[in-house]
Each structure stands twice: as structure tokens, then as C-alpha cells.
Amino acid sequence: MLDLKIIQDARRRISAHILSTPLVHSPSLSELCGVGVSLKLEHHQITGSFKLRGATNAVLELTEADRARGVVAVSTGNHGRALSYAARAVGSRATICMSRLVPENKIAEIKRLGADVRIIGGSQDEAQHEVDRLVANGLVLLPPFDHPDIIAGQGTIGLEIAEGMPDVATVIVGLSGGGLAAGVATAIKGMRPGVRVIGVSMERGAAMKASLDAGRPVQVEEFPSLADALGGGVGLDNKLTFPMCQALLDDVVLLSESEIAAGIRHAYRQEREIVEGSGAVGIAALLAHKVADLRGPVAVVLSGRNIDMELHRRVINGVSNPLGQEV
């Protein structure tokens, strides 16, 4: 388990390299929920998602020798973009392995940042096999979530929420491999022990929820989703994020694709924010009234904005199947 001090150390390390993102009041959601709701605009981060915090912290902790070897990771897109950016900033090079479910706009941005991109198979678990091979050949593994430096970097969001909103009672975060949820929950509960932390994911392919229900990490089938960044497994050998989420999350909420689409539309129409599906799940959970025993004030993390803009247009216009395939 990580502790508050490790996250505070991470903030000092990365503060010159990332943005401290705004925390803004949402009149529309506050009226809907009957309690104060504020939005943590982490999608305003330099690479368009919270992932830059963890990636930067991990890269800055590498030795010069490890930076020279180059880093490698599996990704659903946002970690790959963040790691590519952070590695390039210190003169290193990233290799990013992704499945064919990763949207093309995310792949293109990773290539633009100079990474070596490998598209492998139809799931994150299949892409992980290529990562394992490259690690055996000398590259340094910096995974998307199950790594202490990654979790600590993501946890700096929790520090900013607790300091910017001292009376916060509920924090809502997207849940995939658990790096964001585990880091934020560690920071928030370290400073405000009574705060409830709620994880949110999609109904199909929510690996952490399935693992928590089973009491151990399990594999799940991956499906296309508007919340594509929440896809992928937690790793059967998960060492950190599974036990941390098991200990620290107060509840996990699952959403349908139509509910996620409603979250994207609300963010755009009411909050004037462009967010991807994974970034909109906190809003979507509130719109669907799926957070039981909601206590305010509430902070919702908008985790990313890296959505294909044509897909965003279809969602905003109410297209019934914006992905163009069965979801």
C-alpha cells in the first residue's frame, strides 16, 4: 500500500512538469443532485488526460541508464500518449503496445510524439504479451496502473481536490485498472478519512469490478465502448491497485453505453467541456442517479478529452449507435 507522504513527494517531483487543473462548481449538476457538485477538469492536462501525472512521476524516478534503455507499456491510448510525452521530455524513447480496439486518433497522437507503436491483437491482455517480450529484450516496463510511481502521480489529483474543496464528502472517479482510483482514494482518505470514493466504469468489460466481485483479479472479455479508455484487464498478477481498490473504494457503479453518451452530451451542452467517454462517466453516474447515498459536496474527476471529434459529433447529435457497431 502507498501512503500520503509518497503522493506528496510525487507532487513535489512533478509540479514543474504538469498542470494543477481547475476545480469548478457545476450549477446544473448541483441543482440536479440537490448537493454541491464540482468538476475537477483533469482533461485540461497537457496531454489531454490525467495519465501525464503518473507517467511523469515514473519517468523522473528512472536512472539515467534506464532512460537510455527506453521504456515500454501497454495502453488503451492515454497512458501511451502521456508516457511518450514524458519520455521524450527527458531524452528517452517510448514503445507503446496497443490492441486494435484503441481509437485511431489516440494512436496517431502517440506516433506524433515519436513513440514506437505496436498494434497487437484484440485486447490489452494480448498486447501485453508483446510488452513482456520487449522487457525481456531490455526495455524498462512502466505499466499504465499497477506501479507505485504511477499510482502516486495519479494520487496528486486527490491532494488538489482535498485542498481546493476542504469540505468534500464524495469523490467520483473513473475505474479501469485502478491507478487513478487507488491514488486519489489514498490521497483523499489520507487527508479526509470520512470521504467516500466511488469508482465508475462501463457495464461490459469492467475488469476491476469483476475482480472485486470475485475477490481476486480475473480476466474479462473486452468490448467496444464509448469509454474505451476504461477497457483492458487488471492483470492476474496485480500487486497494488486491486488490493488498494478493494480496501479504499466505497462503491463501484456501472453504466450503459446510452448513459455514458448522456454524460458526454451533458458535459458539452451544460458545462461547455469536451470530454471522452471515460472522462464523462462521473457526470453520467450522477445523471443516472446511480450513486447511492449521495453526500455533498461532491467532486467529479473529468479524466480525459481525447475523443475522436467525429465520434463526439455523433454523440452530441444523438446518433443511436455512435460507434457504428454493436455496443
Side-chain angles (χ1 to χ4, degrees), residues 159-175:
L159 299 181
E160 293 175 14
I161 291 173
E163 292 168 356
M165 199 173 178
D167 57 347
V168 64
T170 303
V171 176
I172 302 176
V173 297
L175 179 64

Side-chain angles (χ1 to χ4, degrees), residues 2-11 53 151-163 168 171 173 179-195 197 244 248:
L2 279 69
D3 59 24
L4 183 60
K5 182 181 182 304
I6 292 173
I7 297 174
Q8 292 168 332
D9 289 343
R11 178 165 64 174
R53 294 174 183 257
I151 299 168
Q154 322 305 27
T156 60
I157 296 171
L159 299 181
E160 293 175 14
I161 291 173
E163 292 168 356
V168 64
V171 176
V173 297
L180 175 63
V184 167
T186 298
I188 285 287
K189 289 177 182 284
M191 299 177 72
R192 309 276 187 271
V195 174
V197 180
M244 292 177 74
L248 296 170

Side-chain angles (χ1 to χ4, degrees), residues 64-231:
E64 288 297 330
D66 282 346
R67 293 179 191 178
R69 289 162 60 192
V71 298
V72 63
V74 69
S75 177
T76 54
N78 286 337
H79 176 63
R81 181 172 177 173
L83 187 59
S84 301
Y85 181 97
R88 188 174 72 168
V90 298
S92 187
R93 181 174 171 84
T95 299
I96 309 300
C97 301
M98 296 172 282
S99 83
R100 56 178 174 265
L101 291 179
V102 175
E104 182 56 40
N105 68 299
K106 293 185 176 181
I107 295 171
E109 185 61 23
I110 293 168
K111 290 179 178 178
R112 187 190 69 80
L113 288 168
D116 178 9
V117 171
R118 313 279 178 97
I119 306 300
I120 310 291
S123 72
Q124 184 168 276
D125 289 331
E126 291 181 48
Q128 181 64 46
H129 295 316
E130 177 69 1
V131 171
D132 296 340
R133 186 186 70 80
L134 293 170
V135 170
N137 288 336
L139 295 189
V140 177
L141 176 64
L142 288 181
F145 49 86
D146 199 37
H147 187 287
D149 295 331
I150 298 289
I151 299 168
Q154 322 305 27
T156 60
I157 296 171
L159 299 181
E160 293 175 14
I161 291 173
E163 292 168 356
M165 199 173 178
D167 57 347
V168 64
T170 303
V171 176
I172 302 176
V173 297
L175 179 64
S176 180
L180 175 63
V184 167
T186 298
I188 285 287
K189 289 177 182 284
M191 299 177 72
R192 309 276 187 271
V195 174
R196 299 179 76 232
V197 180
I198 312 298
V200 188
S201 196
M202 64 284 196
E203 286 181 347
R204 300 199 303 169
M208 185 60 80
K209 177 64 163 68
S211 298
L212 293 171
D213 289 346
R216 58 182 174 79
V218 297
Q219 287 184 315
V220 298
E221 185 177 356
E222 291 186 45
F223 297 93
S225 174
L226 289 171
D228 56 89
L230 299 184

